């Protein structure tokens, strides 16, 4: 009888573990395909080449109730409960990089629940608009560290991804 209970407990635990949410919030950077295979409008870095947008910056204090902040055509939505204390956030959309990028302060801020970053690519090259886009987490030199789990909306020309911490983000293909 004890053996049956032990087997049933192990089976129940196995099923429970198999049903837990193991959805990744980021995907490791993949090797970049040769740009010559898809045309010269895209750089070999995997970042989507775009005409420069005007510089934009915003600062806002967001607390446990959540909120949103925008810089240029890009928006970050922080859900309720993602921050435990009121936090002053600065979002910057730099210009002159040849890509659509956003930077956040305070650097390294982590969220209890993921925030949602939506970035526009309406000012990007035509060929790039046809390829699936995603948001890349990059270093200061625009080297891709990893890709965010992203959803591309070709009709609205926006890509949306889940952000777990503040850093630099750029639209990539």
């Amino acid at each position: 009888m004890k053996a049956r209970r032990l087997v049933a407990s192990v089976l129940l635990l196995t099923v429970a573990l198999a049903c837990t949410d193991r959805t990744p919030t980021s995907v490791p950077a993949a090797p970049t395909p040769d740009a010559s295979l898809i045309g010269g409008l895209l750089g070999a870095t995997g970042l989507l080449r775009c005409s420069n947008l005007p510089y934009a910056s915003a600062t806002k204090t967001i607390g446990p109730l959540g909120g949103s902040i925008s810089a240029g055509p890009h928006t970050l939505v922080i859900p309720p409960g993602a921050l435990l204390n009121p936090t002053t956030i600065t979002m910057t959309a730099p210009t002159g990089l040849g890509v659509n990028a956003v930077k956040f302060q305070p650097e390294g801020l982590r969220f209890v629940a993921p925030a949602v970053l939506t970035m526009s690519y309406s000012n990007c090259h035509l060929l790039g608009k046809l390829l699936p886009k995603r948001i890349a987490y990059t270093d200061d030199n625009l080297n891709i560290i990893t890709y965010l789990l992203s959803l591309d909306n070709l009709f609205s020309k926006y890509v949306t991804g889940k952000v777990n911490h503040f850093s630099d983000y750029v639209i990539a293909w």
Side-chain angles (χ1 to χ4, degrees):
M1 194 56 121
K2 288 183 184 180
R4 285 186 187 173
R5 285 185 187 163
L6 179 62
V7 170
S9 297
V10 169
L11 182 60
L12 183 60
L13 180 62
T14 303
V15 169
L17 288 174
C19 293
T20 59
D21 182 19
R22 295 185 185 163
T23 305
T25 57
S26 65
V27 180
T32 303
D34 183 2
S36 65
L37 296 176
I38 54 176
L41 292 177
L42 301 172
T45 63
L47 301 179
L48 183 61
R49 297 291 169 197
C50 305
S51 60
N52 289 322
L53 290 170
Y55 175 85
S57 181
T59 300
K60 188 174 184 181
T61 299
I62 298 176
L65 296 178
S68 65
I69 186 169
S70 296
H74 316 300
T75 301
L76 179 75
V77 177
I78 300 169
L83 293 171
L84 300 177
N85 299 304
T87 305
T88 300
I89 295 170
T90 300
M91 180 179 183
T92 305
T95 191
L97 302 175
V99 295
N100 284 0
V102 291
K103 296 176 182 259
F104 294 99
Q105 293 291 330
E107 177 87 19
L109 175 70
R110 297 205 172 269
F111 297 106
V112 175
V116 176
L117 174 62
T118 301
M119 297 180 69
S120 170
Y121 57 87
S122 62
N123 63 312
C124 299
H125 297 289
L126 177 62
L127 181 58
K129 291 178 185 174
L130 301 176
L131 299 171
K133 266 78 52 213
R134 51 193 169 168
I135 299 175
Y137 161 40
T138 65
D139 63 17
D140 290 336
N141 296 319
L142 297 177
N143 296 308
I144 296 172
I145 296 170
T146 190
Y147 293 105
L148 303 183
L149 188 60
S150 304
L151 179 63
D152 181 14
N153 185 329
L154 289 169
F155 298 109
S156 69
K157 299 180 180 86
Y158 281 93
V159 61
T160 300
K162 289 184 175 183
V163 174
N164 291 313
H165 71 283
F166 275 173
S167 193
D168 299 345
Y169 298 98
V170 179
I171 299 178
W173 45 270

